[in-house]
Amino acid sequence: MIIKTRFAPSPTGNLHIGSIRTALYSWLFAKNNLGSFILRIEDTDIKRYKENSIENIINGLKWLNIDWDEGPYFQSKRIDRYNHIINNMIKKKLAYKCYCSKEELEKNKIEQTLIGKKIKYNGKCRNLTNFFNKDNKSFVVRFRNPDHGIVKFKDKIRGTIIFNNNELDDLIIKRTDGIPTYNFCVVVDDWDMGITHVIRGEEHINNTPRQINIIKAIGARIPIYAHVSMIVNKSGEKISKRFNNIDILQYKKSGYLPEALLNYIVRLGWSYGNQEIFSLNDMKKLFNLNNISKSPSILNVNKLNWLNKYYLSKLPKQYMINYLTNFFKKKNININNGPKINDLYNIFHNRCNTLKEINNLCYIFYNTPNYSKVNLINKYLNLETKEILNKLLNKFTLINIWSLLIINTSIKEISIELNLNFSEIAMPLRLAITGMVNSPPIAYIIYLMGQKKVLKYINNAIKFILINNKHY
Ligand code: GLU
Ligand code: ZN
């Protein structure tokens, strides 16, 4: 049997971590078994369509290097195929037209609620005779779900799952506007496309018995199911399209690498011993459906940062140099006004969590710090620290040969002179030079920044303190 899996997103919003995980698991399972993976856009629910979401899905997958062997298929282009099957089902009485009005259905719901019954279509149109007056009435098509017996399937992650047929509704498979619905299209597509394994989120477990009943009715093959548990944030809130949804491309903008994100996502619910680092090749080689956890997975940004830092430090030097060169070009920054790219690479490449952090740090060499934008600035730039800055300014002015050693010695001498420890000196200095509370070793920054800018920025900081502390 050739393994075939699919990723079948609806274009109703952005791709988030949960949907990517479904795509990744489906893709890896196919790759691990030398099978194929298809992309299918489930776009029949026009009302919920969100503009740009198809581009967003495709760009997200491409960025992460998740490629597909077939597709993208679009359900909206297959309406004739679905209707053909629905018409046959009506002929064979596997489905029927339902003419009930919204009001009738609503009334039915209220009645059932009042007597404490489970809300379910009451079956009024199941056996309409030819004498029923259908003049111009709009209708939906409902699937004739078996009214007794059970539906049983073996989920690869959760084991055997059983539903009673009498709990299942006669599902609407075609709406009044003539468009077939998700639960029906998915069955026809998986059949036509030869899908062997359906890997998807646990929110679809309740759909599965309905889909299996339709599969049986039309004589299709039942695929193997694997329902992956949900992802929650630190406070236990669910991550889904509607809640806590972070667009996957947002991670790109924030400077995460696709390798790191995939490594992070694959471990959200899947494990292979204690291994934490998985290259794409490792994943393809090792992934299977046996080690997927049944419990929810918890998002952990620290772990993502840790992985991203790891992958950043492994990138070839030339890659990072090109990256930085492009970044400066995009920002219209003339590199000749600052340190050599090679020096920037040396200081930052294994110190930062994200590319964005690297960008921000590199930026300080080309941008005058704006102290008024810094939180708690008065804690570091005040009349007391002004004395420290004055001393530093004098000392730095006198340096003839600007070297890392001399800069370090100068800071140390002042700390002895003022009887302060290094960090008490470094903090105001760091703020004055970078406008940031955190940075790589300040002496090195000062060295790379160059004497002229350093003197200017310390002066600026002193002026800032004076203006800020003027009392009228
Ligand atoms: N289109 C469905 C969704 O986006 C997925 C359907 C499926 O995987 O069966 O949730
Ligand atoms: Zn009806």
Side-chain angles (χ1 to χ4, degrees):
M1 177 172 73
I2 294 178
I3 302 287
K4 222 170 164 189
T5 61
R6 62 2 178 234
F7 176 47
S10 312
T12 51
N14 292 332
L15 268 187
H16 58 95
I17 288 248
S19 29
I20 283 293
R21 186 183 55 171
T22 308
L24 179 64
Y25 285 5
S26 305
W27 182 68
L28 289 176
F29 185 68
K31 297 292 142 188
N32 181 261
N33 289 286
L34 304 178
S36 58
F37 170 72
I38 73 169
L39 173 61
R40 179 171 80 222
I41 308 291
E42 307 210 314
D43 57 347
T44 59
D45 195 347
I46 302 154
K47 269 195 231 121
R48 287 183 51 215
Y49 174 77
K50 231 175 112 197
E51 225 182 312
N52 298 329
S53 46
I54 296 179
E55 291 86 329
N56 178 277
I57 290 167
I58 297 207
N59 292 340
L61 292 173
K62 281 195 173 154
W63 174 57
L64 291 167
N65 297 307
I66 297 179
D67 54 356
W68 46 95
D69 303 293
E70 283 176 40
Y73 294 113
F74 291 87
Q75 288 190 328
S76 56
K77 299 215 170 104
R78 291 173 44 78
I79 304 290
D80 288 348
R81 167 73 179 146
Y82 308 133
N83 279 332
H84 174 75
I85 298 181
I86 290 176
N87 290 338
N88 274 335
M89 289 173 78
I90 295 174
K91 269 187 218 144
K92 292 186 186 158
K93 299 213 178 313
L94 297 168
Y96 60 92
K97 294 178 183 172
C98 162
Y99 297 88
C100 296
S101 64
K102 261 196 199 136
E103 293 74 27
E104 262 177 282
L105 294 173
E106 201 49 45
K107 203 173 128 223
N108 178 21
K109 253 191 210 168
I110 295 170
E111 279 167 10
Q112 288 177 339
T113 316
L114 282 179
I115 56 170
K117 256 175 93 177
K118 198 173 163 195
I119 295 170
K120 196 175 144 182
Y121 174 61
N122 67 6
K124 182 177 166 211
C125 306
R126 264 193 153 209
N127 300 301
L128 286 184
T129 63
N130 288 338
F131 301 110
F132 179 76
N133 181 7
K134 318 181 167 86
D135 297 348
N136 290 331
K137 275 195 180 150
S138 66
F139 63 88
V140 298
V141 177
R142 289 186 186 269
F143 172 61
R144 191 186 300 276
N145 197 79
D147 47 17
H148 59 275
I150 57 164
V151 191
K152 184 169 155 181
F153 65 96
K154 209 163 168 201
D155 188 279
K156 272 294 219 185
I157 298 171
R158 289 150 206 282
T160 303
I161 298 181
I162 298 174
F163 285 84
N164 282 318
N165 270 324
N166 63 17
E167 283 172 22
L168 305 175
D169 232 338
D170 277 358
L171 200 75
I172 295 174
I173 57 176
K174 182 164 154 174
R175 289 185 281 257
T176 45
D177 62 3
I179 304 293
T181 57
Y182 156 70
N183 274 298
F184 182 76
C185 302
V186 80
V187 161
V188 176
D189 285 352
D190 285 344
W191 183 27
D192 285 353
M193 296 169 193
I195 300 302
T196 59
H197 292 70
V198 168
I199 301 167
R200 60 186 175 191
E202 68 175 333
E203 66 273 16
H204 286 291
I205 291 181
N206 284 334
N207 288 326
T208 308
R210 305 163 207 275
Q211 293 174 8
I212 290 179
N213 280 336
I214 299 175
I215 292 174
K216 286 182 182 158
I218 63 175
R221 184 176 61 179
I222 302 175
I224 292 166
Y225 292 98
H227 287 98
V228 186
S229 296
M230 63 178 160
I231 301 178
V232 296
N233 66 15
K234 262 203 320 230
S235 343
E237 291 168 327
K238 191 177 164 200
I239 308 287
S240 76
K241 219 168 247 181
R242 279 166 229 169
F243 306 101
N244 297 303
N245 173 353
I246 303 177
D247 174 10
I248 216 75
L249 288 170
Q250 199 56 48
Y251 287 93
K252 181 182 181 190
K253 285 195 199 116
S254 308
Y256 290 95
L257 299 172
E259 296 85 341
L261 199 59
L262 286 182
N263 193 151
Y264 175 65
I265 292 175
V266 82
R267 287 281 293 102
L268 282 174
W270 176 76
S271 59
Y272 188 80
N274 294 328
Q275 191 168 331
E276 286 294 353
I277 303 280
F278 293 88
S279 69
L280 220 54
N281 276 336
D282 286 344
M283 289 183 208
K284 286 185 195 168
K285 217 165 58 202
L286 302 173
F287 185 82
N288 58 49
L289 297 177
N290 301 330
N291 297 330
I292 297 182
S293 156
K294 267 190 259 186
S295 29
S297 314
I298 304 166
L299 285 184
N300 178 351
V301 171
N302 292 338
K303 184 151 172 214
L304 173 61
N305 284 339
W306 177 77
L307 283 166
N308 206 53
K309 190 170 181 178
Y310 170 83
Y311 283 99
L312 273 177
S313 73
K314 294 279 171 221
L315 285 175
K317 183 170 175 179
Q318 199 49 48
Y319 175 97
M320 278 310 293
I321 300 230
N322 291 346
Y323 171 82
L324 286 173
T325 313
N326 277 331
F327 166 71
F328 288 128
K329 220 188 248 160
K330 257 204 300 213
K331 293 272 170 201
N332 267 333
I333 288 172
N334 181 355
I335 311 173
N336 297 328
N337 296 337
K340 293 197 186 76
I341 294 267
N342 198 47
D343 289 331
L344 291 178
Y345 169 81
N346 285 339
I347 168 167
F348 295 136
H349 87 283
N350 56 12
R351 207 181 286 280
C352 299
N353 288 327
T354 64
L355 289 169
K356 197 167 176 183
E357 261 181 62
I358 298 186
N359 297 347
N360 290 344
L361 283 177
C362 289
Y363 215 54
I364 59 180
F365 295 101
Y366 305 91
N367 234 350
T368 310
N370 183 350
Y371 309 120
S372 52
K373 282 198 174 153
V374 182
N375 265 342
L376 297 175
I377 190 70
N378 294 335
K379 185 169 167 203
Y380 306 107
L381 297 186
N382 50 41
L383 291 173
E384 265 168 59
T385 57
K386 178 176 151 282
E387 290 319 306
I388 304 173
L389 292 175
N390 263 330
K391 288 227 178 313
L392 286 163
L393 184 64
N394 293 337
K395 197 122 203 159
F396 287 158
T397 311
L398 295 174
I399 295 179
N400 282 327
I401 300 164
W402 195 247
S403 78
L404 187 56
L405 183 70
I406 295 184
I407 292 166
N408 257 322
T409 320
S410 310
I411 300 177
K412 262 184 215 135
E413 280 170 9
I414 290 183
S415 84
I416 292 167
E417 197 181 313
L418 296 176
N419 197 19
L420 293 170
N421 62 35
F422 187 86
S423 73
E424 285 168 300
I425 305 238
M427 258 338 254
L429 182 56
R430 171 174 292 120
L431 253 297
I433 302 294
T434 68
M436 298 194 302
V437 184
N438 294 306
S439 80
I442 189 62
Y444 200 46
I445 302 250
I446 287 176
Y447 167 63
L448 288 182
M449 186 88 76
Q451 194 168 16
K452 203 169 127 208
K453 276 189 190 163
V454 167
L455 298 181
K456 184 171 130 199
Y457 295 164
I458 298 180
N459 246 320
N460 286 353
I462 294 172
K463 270 190 221 146
F464 175 83
I465 294 173
L466 288 174
I467 293 174
N468 237 3
N469 290 280
K470 222 181 209 168
H471 298 292
Y472 295 96

